[in-house]
Amino acid sequence: MEPSADSSASPFTPLVVLELVSDTKEEAITWLLSRIRDPQQTGGAGLLVEKLGPGVGGEEKENPNLFLVGASRERLLSGAEDVGLFKEYSDGSMRGFTCANKHNFKDFKGDGDSFLSMAECQYIIKHELDTLRAKDETHVPGYSHAKLYPGKSIVRRLLSKGILIQIFPLHHKEELKRLSFSWYKKVKLSLQPLDDIRHYYGEGQALYFGFLEYFTFALVPMALFGVPYYLFDWEDYDKYVVFAVFNVIWCTIILELWKRFSASLAYHWGTLSRKKAFEEPRPGFHGILGFNPVTGREEPLYPNTKRQLRIYLVSLPFVLLCLYLSLYVMMIYFQMEGWALSINDQDPTFWTGVLIYIPSIIYAVVIEAMNLIYRYAAEFLTEWENHRLESSYQNHLVLKVLVFNFFNCFASLFYIAFVMQDMVLLRQSLATLLITSQILNQIMEAFLPYWLQRRRNKKMIRKVQKRRTLGDKELPLEEQVRLEADMSTYLGTFDDYLELFLLFGYVSLFSCVYPLSAVLVVLNNVTEVYSDAFKMCQVFKRPFADPAANIGVWQLAFETMSVIAVVTNCALIGMSPQVKAYFPDSDTQLILWIVAVEHGLLAFKFILTFLIPDVPKHIQIKLSRLEFESLEALKKKKMLEASEPRKDIQ
């Protein structure tokens, strides 16, 4: 979908699509469209909306209730002020956009036609639709079960009742082609076009790809250190002590430097100092209608005590039960491993040598399957807990999934390392888990989406070619919108960050016994960049921009993993024969020394965290200067207001 460049010839530029169920009642459609079109002064959204025409040939199966939403340039600029968009000012600083000051912003030229990116325009429209509220309606016209009350978000009610199927932003074909070419269509050694990704998809997506790129480059020193370590059998001389110490320092420094790098990106993109929007209740949130003292509006209220009871009496026992099942599966794996080893010991042949790796491969596949099944169960439980805010829902979901995934993926490695103390088996298990999980991920994330996208596109193009005689393969607007409506919905960066979290765990916890793990993760991340970029551009619907300032709760998750890595690597150092040789007579003394070293390293880690500021100094100065100017402007305004009544008296 390509917006018109000439606004005078075509004042309506479709930006967002609303899809209602095919049998939506006419009075509900009329009411919704009028509320979207009504000016803001009367409680509407003040947007432009048109019905999408029938596809080429107009099949009966096609949903007729697809609507294109856009807005006038003036409405988008006022919306940019409403959502608190930050843009570059004429002096180079990042400031909140205001219509009164619009000509003082760096890129504002003429009437501001190209001042806002398409992603920003779509985000503004989504915000305006989300804040569209019921006035005196008691229910959605034609749907007595879809109750409304003054102040209720109309779009959220339509979504929760299944009347509104989806809202999604449209792709811009030319911009997408340019981005695809610079991002993944050519093999290159250059960095990803993060500014272009942010311009097209928003800050949340750009920060994920920025972190993926940063993590990949951060792994290069460890990979370079690990290859000779592995090839020349240096571990025969100093085991894994040097590598473990390197691990501890590496995982601390890279996370601290990432915070500085992400702060620089967020400032450059205008999200670092942006005020967080007031969170509205989630579409699925339900409760007894009551009065919210903060907003002054009627909305559902749900007792926090009830939610806590659900969490501690149902969700927590369920998670513990899943952890027990994971432990049970792990013990079955060790039995299989023991059986394979015994057969190889009795009659060592090529095939029995291969058989040794079979239990680990089966276990790696089972781990991936269990993680997937548990993810669905965790989503169901978190939804059932009935969290009011999306952020609270996400935090509880992330916690549930991280705990299980960490236990499921790493429990067997901890058991082999510290209970069995079998470093050969630990190396074999780590290598098998890492390689098998990466192969499965590549199949699920790269080959399967590529095949689905090729199949879907060919089907759509064949359908269009049958109905018209034109020779070109460019899809008309109606077919392009319907093709995008059928694309998979992008579910956010949750699974992508989770995969990086587990890879970070494999590298930081146990790579000292298998130094090639960093090399494997680098190779995985390089292919991940291309497969994720392809999926974003070709497989998924375009997601709405997410004005994120950092990677959120995942920063805490990675930092927690780095603390666990310090403890794990210190324990592995204590188990090495070289260190044990210094304490031949006393295990207690060895343990005390290791605990002391581990506490010292943790202290060093936290001192580093304190010494390396999260935000670079030059950005701190710019933010402080902006805050000072805002306070001075406020003082002048108050002085002017105070002097005006005195003039009246005189």
Side-chain angles (χ1 to χ4, degrees):
M1 211 298 305
E2 189 172 348
S4 170
D6 183 7
S7 59
S8 60
S10 176
F12 179 71
T13 300
L15 293 168
V16 173
V17 177
L18 291 176
E19 184 178 6
L20 300 166
V21 290
S22 56
D23 59 350
T24 307
K25 293 178 182 175
E26 198 58 43
E27 59 262 44
I29 295 173
T30 306
W31 167 76
L32 176 63
L33 298 187
S34 68
R35 291 304 311 275
I36 292 172
R37 290 180 179 128
D38 285 349
Q40 284 180 288
Q41 293 82 353
T42 60
L47 303 173
L48 306 171
V49 59
E50 289 180 4
K51 188 169 184 176
L52 182 73
V56 181
E59 285 187 0
E60 288 181 14
K61 290 179 185 175
E62 287 176 349
N63 185 355
N65 292 327
L66 281 161
F67 298 90
L68 304 173
V69 184
S72 64
R73 192 176 300 118
E74 294 74 21
R75 180 70 187 88
L76 289 170
L77 291 173
S78 70
E81 185 174 344
D82 291 342
V83 300
L85 212 63
F86 268 60
K87 303 291 279 185
E88 190 174 358
Y89 208 62
S90 52
D91 63 0
S93 64
M94 301 300 293
R95 301 183 184 226
F97 176 78
T98 57
C99 290
N101 265 353
K102 60 187 179 184
H103 292 289
N104 293 326
F105 284 86
K106 186 179 176 183
D107 297 321
F108 196 97
K109 297 178 180 69
D111 54 5
D113 185 28
S114 58
F115 180 66
L116 299 173
S117 69
M118 191 177 178
E120 287 169 337
C121 294
Q122 290 166 334
Y123 174 75
I124 290 164
I125 287 177
K126 176 71 161 56
H127 174 267
E128 299 301 341
L129 288 172
D130 282 343
T131 52
L132 193 60
R133 305 196 173 279
K135 293 188 285 188
D136 51 4
E137 301 95 337
T138 56
H139 61 271
V140 175
Y143 296 89
S144 56
H145 66 285
K147 303 291 183 190
L148 289 172
Y149 44 85
K152 172 65 183 173
S153 171
I154 290 171
V155 167
R156 286 168 186 269
R157 173 58 80 205
L158 293 174
L159 281 168
S160 64
K161 292 298 178 184
I163 300 167
L164 178 60
I165 297 172
Q166 60 180 341
I167 307 176
F168 63 92
L170 284 166
H171 277 296
H172 184 297
K173 284 187 285 189
E174 288 306 313
E175 268 190 48
L176 188 62
K177 275 182 190 173
R178 285 195 296 271
L179 176 61
S180 299
F181 183 75
S182 64
W183 195 5
Y184 73 91
K185 283 193 174 178
K186 60 176 182 180
V187 178
K188 61 190 187 309
L189 295 173
S190 60
L191 301 176
Q192 292 180 91
L194 292 182
D195 284 333
D196 293 340
I197 297 167
R198 174 253 171 181
H199 188 268
Y200 194 80
Y201 286 110
E203 293 78 14
Q205 275 304 312
L207 278 171
Y208 161 69
F209 283 101
F211 182 72
L212 174 58
E213 179 178 277
Y214 175 85
F215 179 41
T216 306
F217 278 105
L219 283 164
V220 170
M222 187 175 278
L224 293 174
F225 190 48
V227 170
Y229 204 88
Y230 181 81
L231 291 178
F232 300 114
D233 288 331
W234 289 357
E235 67 269 26
D236 286 349
Y237 302 103
D238 57 14
K239 293 296 179 190
Y240 29 78
V241 175
V242 176
F243 210 96
V245 172
F246 180 79
N247 256 358
V248 168
I249 298 168
W250 172 82
C251 65
T252 301
I253 291 174
I254 66 154
L255 289 174
E256 289 308 310
L257 293 180
W258 162 252
K259 280 195 276 192
R260 289 171 62 82
F261 180 59
S262 69
S264 300
L265 286 177
Y267 177 78
H268 174 59
W269 293 336
T271 55
L272 186 63
S273 50
R274 186 172 171 178
K275 299 289 184 290
K276 194 173 180 183
F278 179 77
E279 278 196 88
E280 297 291 340
R282 295 173 57 247
F285 176 67
H286 58 271
I288 299 165
L289 196 62
F291 178 78
N292 186 327
V294 178
T295 61
R297 293 195 294 259
E298 279 189 303
E299 67 173 52
L301 300 176
Y302 189 78
N304 191 49
T305 313
K306 240 175 149 179
R307 186 180 299 112
Q308 296 300 324
L309 286 172
R310 289 186 173 193
I311 291 169
Y312 291 109
L313 296 182
V314 179
S315 296
L316 183 60
F318 175 79
V319 172
L320 294 174
L321 175 65
C322 289
L323 294 179
Y324 172 75
L325 288 173
S326 174
L327 196 63
Y328 186 74
V329 170
M330 183 185 81
M331 298 318 292
I332 293 173
Y333 154 64
F334 284 126
Q335 287 177 356
M336 290 169 61
E337 191 75 48
W339 169 76
L341 286 169
S342 65
I343 288 177
N344 187 57
D345 290 341
Q346 289 170 11
D347 183 21
T349 63
F350 171 77
W351 294 111
T352 57
V354 171
L355 183 66
I356 292 173
Y357 291 92
I358 299 299
S360 295
I361 293 171
I362 293 171
Y363 184 52
V365 173
V366 169
I367 281 175
E368 293 296 320
M370 287 173 70
N371 285 345
L372 191 62
I373 294 165
Y374 176 82
R375 170 70 188 276
Y376 289 118
E379 285 179 352
F380 174 80
L381 267 181
T382 313
E383 185 71 42
W384 177 72
E385 287 165 8
N386 197 26
H387 295 277
R388 179 179 175 272
L389 302 177
E390 186 64 34
S391 59
S392 175
Y393 170 86
Q394 287 296 333
N395 289 342
H396 279 80
L397 179 61
V398 166
L399 183 61
K400 285 188 188 74
V401 173
L402 281 188
V403 167
F404 181 79
N405 276 257
F406 179 84
F407 192 86
N408 202 27
C409 293
F410 299 113
S412 62
L413 300 178
F414 278 105
Y415 186 84
I416 295 167
F418 302 118
V419 178
M420 298 172 68
Q421 297 189 10
D422 185 343
M423 294 303 142
V424 176
L425 181 59
L426 179 60
R427 174 184 291 192
Q428 176 196 312
S429 297
L430 178 61
T432 311
L433 279 173
L434 202 51
I435 293 167
T436 309
S437 64
Q438 287 184 9
I439 289 170
L440 288 173
N441 279 329
Q442 291 304 322
I443 291 169
M444 295 299 291
E445 293 190 8
F447 297 110
L448 188 63
Y450 178 75
W451 179 76
L452 288 173
Q453 184 264 344
R454 294 273 298 183
R455 193 163 167 263
R456 187 188 295 118
N457 275 11
K458 280 181 180 176
K459 184 181 174 185
M460 178 62 79
I461 290 168
R462 273 201 307 270
K463 188 169 75 170
V464 174
Q465 292 297 319
K466 278 179 188 174
R467 301 188 205 154
R468 61 180 188 157
T469 55
L470 296 174
D472 65 281
K473 285 195 172 186
E474 192 70 29
L475 289 173
L477 173 63
E478 292 78 15
E479 296 298 342
Q480 182 66 25
V481 171
R482 293 181 192 281
L483 173 63
E484 288 185 33
D486 289 337
M487 283 180 168
S488 305
T489 301
Y490 182 67
L491 299 175
T493 52
F494 185 101
D495 289 318
D496 299 316
Y497 277 122
L498 179 61
E499 185 184 344
L500 291 182
F501 172 79
L502 295 175
L503 291 173
F504 179 74
Y506 285 127
V507 171
S508 61
L509 295 175
F510 298 109
S511 63
C512 60
V513 296
Y514 184 59
L516 280 187
S517 58
V519 178
L520 292 174
V521 174
V522 167
L523 293 173
N524 175 80
N525 286 2
V526 170
T527 58
E528 189 81 13
V529 167
Y530 285 95
S531 62
D532 284 354
F534 171 77
K535 285 189 299 181
M536 290 301 302
C537 295
Q538 301 294 334
V539 178
F540 292 123
K541 292 184 187 74
R542 185 178 185 173
F544 282 103
D546 170 25
N550 49 54
I551 62 173
V553 71
W554 291 103
Q555 181 74 39
L556 179 61
F558 280 92
E559 286 175 359
T560 305
M561 181 67 87
S562 72
V563 171
I564 298 169
V566 171
V567 179
T568 304
N569 282 282
C570 285
L572 288 169
I573 290 168
M575 289 167 56
S576 68
Q578 286 85 352
V579 174
K580 281 184 176 179
Y582 289 104
F583 304 93
D585 303 320
S586 175
D587 286 344
T588 307
Q589 206 174 5
L590 170 62
I591 292 167
L592 289 173
W593 267 103
I594 292 301
V595 169
V597 170
E598 174 245 311
H599 277 58
L601 284 169
L602 283 175
F604 172 70
K605 177 181 171 59
F606 292 123
I607 289 167
L608 266 182
T609 305
F610 177 74
L611 289 177
I612 303 173
D614 293 351
V615 180
K617 187 71 176 173
H618 69 280
I619 293 177
Q620 287 181 18
I621 292 168
K622 286 179 181 178
L623 293 175
S624 299
R625 189 190 300 148
L626 190 60
E627 190 177 349
F628 172 74
E629 287 176 10
S630 299
L631 289 170
E632 288 296 302
L634 189 63
K635 280 181 191 174
K636 285 179 184 176
K637 187 181 176 185
K638 284 182 177 177
M639 287 171 67
L640 285 170
E641 286 173 353
S643 64
E644 280 174 6
R646 289 176 190 170
K647 288 177 185 177
D648 294 339
I649 292 166
Q650 290 172 1

